[in-house]
Amino acid sequence: MDIVDHLNAIRQDVPACRAVVLADLTTRVILCVSAEDRPPQERLDALCDTAIRLLDSDTSRVLARAGQIPPLEALVFSADGMEVFLRTPTLPDEALCCLCGPDVDVDKLMEQAHGRLAQIGAA
Amino acid sequence: MLAQLKGGEDGVEDSAETDDMFAPVLQEIGETVLPRELRFRNDRGEELALIVSARRVLRISEILPGALAAKFPALAEHPLSKDAGPQLQAFRELLETFFAGTEELSVTSTRPSTEATTSDIGWGTDLLTRLWSENGPGAGREPEQDLLSALCDAAAAHIIWTAEEITGRKGPDSALTLLQSLAKTEAMARPAGADAGPVCTVLPASDDHGMALVDLRDGDVRALFLLPGYGAARIARIWQGSGIGRG
């Protein structure tokens, strides 16, 4: 199964998820995109930058010093919808970024995305 | 400060008139950043005193005369953050009674006599606007809970800034110190292009024992929260419950 098939499967299972992106956080490169209407490259680059800012920043270090586990997930909610970011310890350089509508089922999205990311990492 | 707030057409008691009265009251609340007691007085000499800070009604400090106050026992001198539904309905009824037949309101703004306002959450102007709209409880629907109030209720600790000045905080000193440190970190920098409407950035708790970090921005109001054991879906439900982004 190709990476894009995994990303497509997330969108199929979670209808309010409009786009799924796999990004390399160390090189800031978009590796794969699944979307009915592909967002412009600037939008994808901005998404990657947000993932880096939220998942790989000094905030994690401050939380770690306070005894908290550094975050593997992050979300941004706005009137336009939700951006959801996640990564897995087995694939620490890469992150899934999802663009969703405001009524997305986050429980289902997280379950699907973590499962698919684990399969991508194991391939 | 004493100001006159004009109402609707002479002698016409209808919903349009009370709407006309509500708008300037809402404007006074929306322009009040530092803690103040806003005391509204109508043509009949009735008075309604509100403790307002950071554009939020924190408390109804006085309703005069006593006969009017007696009709709304759930309101005066009670915190407004908990059990908001029945209190909001009572507040709407109080305003409707207060505005009825009134052509002109006066308002005075003074320093509040009580200092215990920073731990109160209260009601923001967004919530009050929805309360007053056709979709409010008067139309038979419970109002969606104000996002800031919902997050304050759920949080173990929070700090609220208005125009970079702290206007509310709650929680143990260690958590407040942590929030102060986190406020300056890169992840909590304001998202680019997020100037329209509220934006909420969330780092969910990794497990039941962890803490979720939530950063809410809305205009010049910023609030940081620590929520014990809150995962992504649970925080998303709070956001979705506020109704922002729908319709």
Side-chain angles (χ1 to χ4, degrees), chain A residues 53 58-59 68 75 77 102 104, chain B residues 185-187 200 202 204 211 240:
Chain A
R53 178 170 62 81
D58 54 346
T59 307
Q68 301 290 313
L75 303 93
F77 307 144
V104 67
Chain B
T185 60
E186 189 185 350
C200 198
V202 177
M211 283 281 183
Q240 288 167 332

Side-chain angles (χ1 to χ4, degrees), chain B residues 71 83 94 106 157 188 207 223 239:
Chain B
K71 293 179 185 174
D83 194 20
L94 169 61
S106 66
M188 296 296 110
D207 55 35
W239 172 268

Side-chain angles (χ1 to χ4, degrees), chain B residues 6 46 54 61 75 79 119 133 144 160 170 173 206 238-239:
Chain B
K6 291 284 184 184
E46 295 168 341
S61 53
L75 291 178
S119 63
S133 73
E144 288 149 334
I160 301 169
K170 181 190 83 173
D173 288 347
S206 300
I238 294 177
W239 172 268

Side-chain angles (χ1 to χ4, degrees), chain B residues 10-26:
Chain B
D10 288 357
V12 181
E13 292 183 26
D14 57 18
S15 61
E17 178 179 312
T18 54
D19 281 353
D20 287 346
M21 281 295 173
F22 181 65
V25 169
L26 194 68

Side-chain angles (χ1 to χ4, degrees), chain B residues 82-181:
Chain B
K82 304 286 185 187
D83 194 20
Q87 274 191 327
L88 276 167
Q89 182 63 40
F91 187 58
R92 183 187 169 97
E93 289 168 9
L94 169 61
L95 291 179
E96 285 172 344
T97 305
F98 192 73
F99 293 155
T102 293
E103 295 168 21
E104 198 168 284
L105 290 176
S106 66
V107 59
T108 55
S109 173
T110 57
R111 287 180 182 275
S113 53
T114 60
E115 293 295 324
T117 56
T118 54
S119 63
D120 290 341
I121 299 160
W123 302 330
T125 50
D126 287 349
L127 178 70
L128 293 170
T129 301
R130 285 204 299 276
L131 168 74
W132 201 253
S133 73
E134 289 182 358
N135 291 330
R141 188 171 72 86
E142 281 293 311
E144 288 149 334
Q145 192 177 9
D146 176 48
L147 178 63
L148 186 59
S149 300
L151 287 169
C152 287
D153 284 349
H158 72 252
I159 302 178
I160 301 169
W161 293 264
T162 305
E164 300 187 3
E165 180 177 345
I166 291 178
T167 51
R169 73 182 139 203
K170 181 190 83 173
D173 288 347
S174 58
L176 294 174
T177 303
L178 176 61
L179 283 175
Q180 290 274 19
S181 302

Side-chain angles (χ1 to χ4, degrees), chain A residues 21-32 41 45 48 52:
Chain A
V21 175
L22 183 67
D24 186 322
L25 302 186
T26 56
T27 57
R28 194 176 168 266
V29 168
I30 303 297
L31 301 174
C32 190
Q41 190 60 39
D45 290 341
C48 185
I52 294 168

Side-chain angles (χ1 to χ4, degrees), chain A residues 49-50 52-63 65-66 68-82 84 101-108 110, chain B residues 178 181-182 184-192 196-207 209-213 226 231-233 235-237 239-240 244-246:
Chain A
D49 289 344
T50 304
I52 294 168
R53 178 170 62 81
L54 295 179
L55 297 176
D56 207 8
S57 71
D58 54 346
T59 307
S60 297
R61 291 186 280 282
V62 172
L63 286 170
R65 280 202 300 274
Q68 301 290 313
I69 299 170
L72 294 172
E73 301 169 351
L75 303 93
V76 178
F77 307 144
S78 71
D80 295 334
M82 293 190 192
V84 178
D103 290 324
V104 67
D105 181 340
V106 172
D107 250 337
K108 191 171 182 181
M110 287 303 189
Chain B
L178 176 61
S181 302
L182 289 165
K184 299 166 191 159
T185 60
E186 189 185 350
M188 296 296 110
R190 182 165 177 81
V199 174
C200 198
T201 304
V202 177
L203 298 179
S206 300
D207 55 35
H209 306 292
M211 283 281 183
L213 175 64
L226 286 174
I235 297 170
R237 279 193 287 276
W239 172 268
Q240 288 167 332
I244 297 167
R246 266 189 272 135

